[in-house]
Amino acid sequence: MKRTATAALAVVLLATAGCTGESDGSGSSSGSVPGVTDSEIVVGTHMPLTGPAAAGYSKIAPATKAYFDYVNANGGVHGRKISYKIKDDGYNPANTQTVVRELVLQDKVFAILNGLGTPTHTGVLDFLKTNRVPDLFVASGSRSWNQPDKYPGTFGFNPDYTVEGKILGTYVKENLAGKKTCFLGQDDDFGRDSLAGIEKILGPVAAKESYVTSNPNVGPQMGALKAAGCEVVVLATVPGFTALSIGTAAKIAFKPQFVVSNVGADPTTVGKTLGAAAPLMEGLVAANYLPLNNDDANPWIQLFKKVNAAHNGNAEFDNNVVYGMSVGYLFVQALQAAGKDLTRDKIIEAVQKNGFQGPGSVPLRFSAQDHSGYGGEQLTKIQGGKAVYFGTPYTTDDKDAPVAPYTGQPVAPPQSGVPAA
Amino acid sequence: MTDMQQKASASTVPETGLNVPKRRRRPHPALVIVAGGILVVALTYVLPPFRNYQLATMGAYFCVTAGLTVLTGLNGQLSLGHGALMATGAYTLALTQNRWVNLPLSFAVAVLVTTAAGAVIGLAAARLRGPYLAGLTLAVAIVVPSVTSTFDETFNSDQGLSVILNPPPETIPMERWQAWLCWGAALVVVLLLALLIRGRFGRDLRAVRDDETAAKLAGINIARTQVLAFVVSAVCAGVAGALFAVLAQSVSPGAFPLTLSLFLVMAIVIGGLGSLFGALWGAVLLVLLPTLAQSVGEQTGSQQLEGNLALVVFGVVLVVVMLAAPGGLASIPSRISRLIRRNR
């Protein structure tokens, strides 16, 4: 009995601890909208700060936070400062469940912003919908975020992988016609959607292989592609596996033209993994839709570098930092558009109304019927160790729309670096 | 293994009343379970939603730690592969649920499939001892990601499967419903285990653990006892895995890594090997220690620390508990009462 009593006592103690934690949380939000007070907006995210996907991606959320700090230092949005809660889920869907619940139920965030990963974020869609939490600008190109009927509060950010696949396929068709084209992709929606886009343009590829992040060895796959006589290899890989694929191919004297998905092509991250073998990336073709980190003449890069120096401890300035800050900029635009009386419905309306002009080289597709993010990409090539844009940006959709050049002019950021209302 | 057994028996001997005169009859397990059930239901009304979710997670962990402590503590078989058995339960539930959307049916199928898996592994395990057994079960834990990527059309590789669930009745908040579900299952599992180990089967388990030759002489079928113990324990792990699939509304190999299996063993050792209350403590720690580590990590401001600190905290707690109370947390009350009696 004594043991039972002790156990019971302990559980009650835990319960009281839980209760006190709760009252602290609710005490800070006075208004009826969770996470919003007259002086503060609390938003949260889940990110792989540790684990298999941490390389490169772990820099995104700190960059977003740095941009918010910059906005806060310039007076905030409608007088409110943005507080960004970053939770590490280690790219493990079970952890994502826990941390997102903690953010929503305990920290009472206004919205989840830029949660990263297809497998991780898929698991929390229903939970966020039930709790009517805006789920903005998911950091993944899965098409699952674009289901306005099923998940009215969820919006993507990245161009979806099929759009990207169609654009990469168009490059191959126009510039590498007649060459034997093959594919290596991640064994999930990322790889499958990407391949679907490529095959829409090129027809069936000559050979296709897949990999899983839990097994860091692509020797058999690269061997098979070499044996199939591939001259062009399209990679739908995360940065670590882009490096692994290029390195493994070089080891077996396999020198195809690599064409790489945006999410796996940041030259800084891939180059660091390759180490001394980084020159192997020369000539690699990829795509992007945001300004490139080494384009010092670009006003966005100038702004983001300034923010990076002042609020991000001068972290190494790669494309992940550019990405994180672009997300921050878009969120501030959405907050400005939602107006002073911020509610969850209003920010969703504001995002659906769209009209955002930011660092992206192509427009965002948001509307009441479309919740997918950027609608296209422009090709890049690595020359002299640096990625540079070439050609024009292309836009298309994940269905049968043609891949069309986009002629809109890029905009410059406002003088203050903070989007106006 | 041997000293683990000694510790376990050291903690169980006084309670079975062999050398200490029996002072009080222990309450029937059913009474304790009913009391526990009332307590949990009360808690779900008091606690805020996120704490209810944590409570639900504790319930799911309790299923597997209870089964594991019976296997390791009472029968002396060390399993480093219970994470894989949980994955078996979780994937079975996901596949069944996505086909028929019938939760009780899915649970039943999950239990059946893990019974079969447990029997297969148990048959092999019964022939192995000590480090070889640990090695076999370790291999089972490691093989999960490869299985899911080899048969990716069924298991969808690293991305895993999402689980279709009907929402709970309108009036019950999601988190409360989850806590009820997990604790309902946990209490049933633990009650069955408690009833099972009270009787002849429990004595057989301990006899086989303590001395196989003596047990054989007493007419106990060693292999059958060991396989049965493994199957019982596997079923508990399968139920826990199924509960995790329901909680996370998804299954993926990343949710059942090798560290999970190791954490489970650590948890039952810290809690007190062979004791169901120890398993409860283990389950509580499995939820609380990572949370604690996370808040410490956040306070230090190092984002990278957060994900890794839980391992360190678990290790430190294990060392401290083993030094201070070799019988685990569950042995502390009886140690204290013994000290008091001795000083009287």
Side-chain angles (χ1 to χ4, degrees):
Chain A
M1 254 347 255
K2 207 173 260 175
R3 285 173 152 204
T4 328
T6 339
L9 181 69
V11 177
V12 171
L13 280 177
L14 284 176
T16 23
C19 293
T20 43
E22 162 66 6
S23 56
D24 290 349
S26 57
S28 63
S29 58
S30 57
S32 56
V33 185
V36 179
T37 65
D38 288 343
S39 58
E40 194 185 29
I41 303 167
V42 184
V43 284
T45 191
H46 63 89
M47 283 281 164
L49 302 177
T50 55
Y57 296 161
S58 63
K59 297 173 76 177
I60 293 173
T64 313
K65 190 179 168 63
Y67 182 74
F68 290 155
D69 288 344
Y70 173 79
V71 172
N72 293 344
N74 283 282
V77 184
H78 295 300
R80 297 187 180 101
K81 302 215 180 305
I82 305 170
S83 161
Y84 195 41
K85 287 185 181 282
I86 306 166
K87 297 277 182 193
D88 179 18
D89 63 9
Y91 210 63
N92 176 346
N95 291 351
T96 314
Q97 287 291 331
T98 311
V99 299
V100 168
R101 276 186 166 77
E102 193 176 352
L103 286 168
V104 170
L105 300 174
Q106 185 162 274
D107 298 340
K108 310 246 186 259
V109 295
F110 169 67
I112 296 290
L113 176 65
N114 202 222
L116 191 145
T118 307
T120 47
H121 198 78
T122 308
V124 292
L125 287 176
D126 284 310
F127 170 75
L128 292 175
K129 178 193 174 189
T130 316
N131 286 274
R132 303 173 58 79
V133 181
D135 177 20
L136 303 176
F137 318 139
V138 182
S140 143
S142 167
R143 287 178 293 172
S144 308
W145 323 138
N146 179 25
Q147 301 182 65
D149 296 332
K150 206 167 160 201
Y151 300 112
T154 298
F155 295 84
F157 183 83
N158 301 24
D160 58 67
Y161 300 127
T162 305
V163 163
E164 174 171 71
K166 282 170 77 175
I167 291 170
L168 295 179
T170 305
Y171 168 79
V172 173
K173 193 177 176 184
E174 286 175 359
N175 298 281
L176 303 163
K179 300 218 175 187
K180 207 165 191 185
T181 304
C182 307
F183 176 83
L184 171 68
Q186 193 161 299
D187 192 3
D188 59 14
D189 282 352
F190 173 22
R192 284 190 289 262
D193 287 1
S194 189
L195 182 62
I198 293 162
E199 293 194 330
K200 261 185 206 298
I201 302 295
L202 294 177
V205 293
K208 52 189 170 196
E209 293 290 327
S210 66
Y211 74 91
V212 290
T213 46
S214 50
N215 180 11
N217 173 23
V218 293
Q221 290 93 328
M222 293 324 279
L225 294 181
K226 185 186 182 188
C230 303
E231 295 161 289
V232 178
V233 173
V234 185
L235 297 177
T237 46
V238 293
F241 279 82
T242 309
L244 199 58
S245 306
I246 295 174
T248 309
K251 267 190 210 157
I252 56 172
F254 175 41
K255 292 259 159 74
Q257 167 69 49
F258 283 107
V259 178
V260 188
S261 161
N262 164 255
V263 292
D266 174 43
T268 317
T269 314
V270 177
K272 204 183 275 173
T273 316
L274 279 173
L280 288 173
M281 289 195 296
E282 196 64 23
L284 180 143
V285 171
N288 208 330
Y289 50 99
L290 296 172
L292 297 176
N293 62 330
N294 49 29
D295 184 6
D296 285 329
N298 187 304
W300 291 98
I301 294 300
Q302 289 163 4
L303 167 67
F304 290 161
K305 277 200 166 164
K306 191 172 81 180
V307 175
N308 192 49
H311 298 283
N312 203 18
N314 229 343
E316 189 185 14
F317 193 78
D318 61 14
N319 286 327
N320 294 301
V321 175
V322 176
Y323 179 94
M325 294 202 186
S326 303
V327 169
Y329 188 87
L330 178 61
F331 182 63
V332 173
Q333 282 183 308
L335 285 179
Q336 295 282 25
K340 186 146 182 56
D341 301 323
L342 182 63
T343 64
R344 285 175 163 174
D345 287 340
K346 276 190 183 163
I347 196 152
I348 287 174
E349 260 173 50
V351 175
Q352 283 184 347
K353 216 174 126 207
N354 202 351
F356 304 119
Q357 290 203 307
S361 54
V362 293
L364 288 149
R365 285 175 283 178
F366 301 139
S367 72
Q369 294 82 38
D370 195 341
H371 282 192
S372 42
Y374 281 105
E377 286 182 345
Q378 184 175 356
L379 294 158
T380 64
K381 188 171 229 164
I382 295 184
Q383 288 170 342
K386 282 181 168 181
V388 283
Y389 274 124
F390 67 92
T392 58
Y394 291 101
T395 56
T396 183
D397 70 1
D398 59 4
K399 311 233 164 46
D400 293 320
V403 176
Y406 176 71
T407 50
Q409 286 304 306
V411 296
Q415 197 61 42
S416 64
V418 179
Chain B
M1 264 327 282
T2 40
D3 52 5
M4 269 159 114
Q5 290 168 7
Q6 277 158 13
K7 273 167 204 160
S9 47
S11 70
T12 46
V13 164
E15 289 145 32
T16 46
L18 286 178
N19 55 359
V20 185
K22 218 171 199 175
R23 289 170 300 133
R24 212 183 299 153
R25 266 198 68 208
R26 299 186 69 191
H28 191 272
L31 292 178
V32 182
I33 294 295
V34 169
I38 293 170
L39 184 70
V40 167
V41 171
L43 275 176
T44 56
Y45 279 95
V46 181
L47 293 175
F50 178 64
R51 300 292 169 192
N52 266 338
Y53 177 75
Q54 285 186 314
L55 187 69
T57 318
M58 273 178 209
Y61 274 128
F62 191 21
C63 286
V64 57
T65 51
L68 188 59
T69 209
V70 167
L71 180 71
T72 306
L74 296 183
N75 194 227
Q77 300 189 70
L78 176 64
S79 169
L80 300 178
H82 264 47
L85 291 165
M86 288 171 71
T88 310
Y91 273 99
T92 312
L93 179 118
L95 292 169
T96 324
Q97 184 70 11
N98 289 351
R99 193 165 185 131
W100 289 292
V101 201
N102 181 336
L103 203 55
L105 173 79
S106 306
F107 265 99
V109 177
V111 165
L112 279 179
V113 172
T114 36
T115 308
V120 172
I121 303 170
L123 278 174
R127 293 162 178 261
L128 297 169
R129 299 289 176 271
Y132 307 103
L133 175 60
L136 171 84
T137 50
L138 188 68
V140 175
I142 292 172
V143 88
V144 172
S146 312
V147 170
T148 58
S149 55
T150 307
F151 303 100
D152 56 352
E153 283 180 7
T154 314
F155 300 118
N156 199 13
S157 202
D158 279 4
Q159 190 176 334
L161 309 164
S162 50
V163 180
I164 301 170
L165 290 173
N166 288 322
E170 286 280 315
T171 47
I172 308 170
M174 186 68 176
E175 284 71 27
R176 189 176 297 157
W177 183 76
Q178 288 173 326
W180 286 358
L181 182 71
C182 289
W183 278 93
L187 292 176
V188 168
V189 162
V190 171
L191 176 63
L192 293 177
L193 282 176
L195 293 175
L196 202 59
I197 61 177
R198 264 162 81 94
R200 171 171 180 148
F201 183 61
R203 283 196 302 279
D204 287 359
L205 288 181
R206 293 186 188 87
V208 170
R209 173 195 70 193
D210 292 339
D211 190 328
E212 288 189 15
T213 318
K216 210 172 208 168
L217 286 173
I220 297 170
N221 186 332
I222 308 280
R224 200 183 65 191
T225 311
Q226 286 183 325
V227 174
L228 268 180
F230 209 99
V231 169
V232 166
S233 176
V235 169
C236 300
V239 172
L243 290 173
F244 274 107
V246 171
L247 281 179
Q249 295 176 26
S250 71
V251 286
S252 61
F256 305 97
L258 177 62
T259 44
L260 172 68
S261 300
L262 299 180
F263 271 154
L264 292 175
V265 176
M266 274 207 237
I268 58 163
V269 173
I270 295 173
L273 263 183
S275 146
L276 291 178
F277 272 106
L280 175 62
W281 282 115
V284 170
L285 288 178
L286 279 170
V287 175
L288 286 192
L289 283 185
T291 316
L292 180 78
Q294 195 200 10
S295 59
V296 170
E298 270 172 19
Q299 271 157 20
T300 59
S302 162
Q303 304 282 3
Q304 258 77 16
L305 194 61
E306 274 180 55
N308 299 318
L309 199 62
L311 287 163
V312 180
V313 173
F314 239 101
V316 170
V317 170
L318 180 67
V319 172
V320 170
V321 170
M322 285 303 104
L323 285 176
L329 292 176
S331 73
I332 290 177
S334 63
R335 278 170 75 88
I336 292 173
S337 61
R338 235 180 306 154
L339 273 178
I340 294 170
R341 255 179 288 134
R342 213 173 290 161
N343 291 345
R344 222 182 269 159

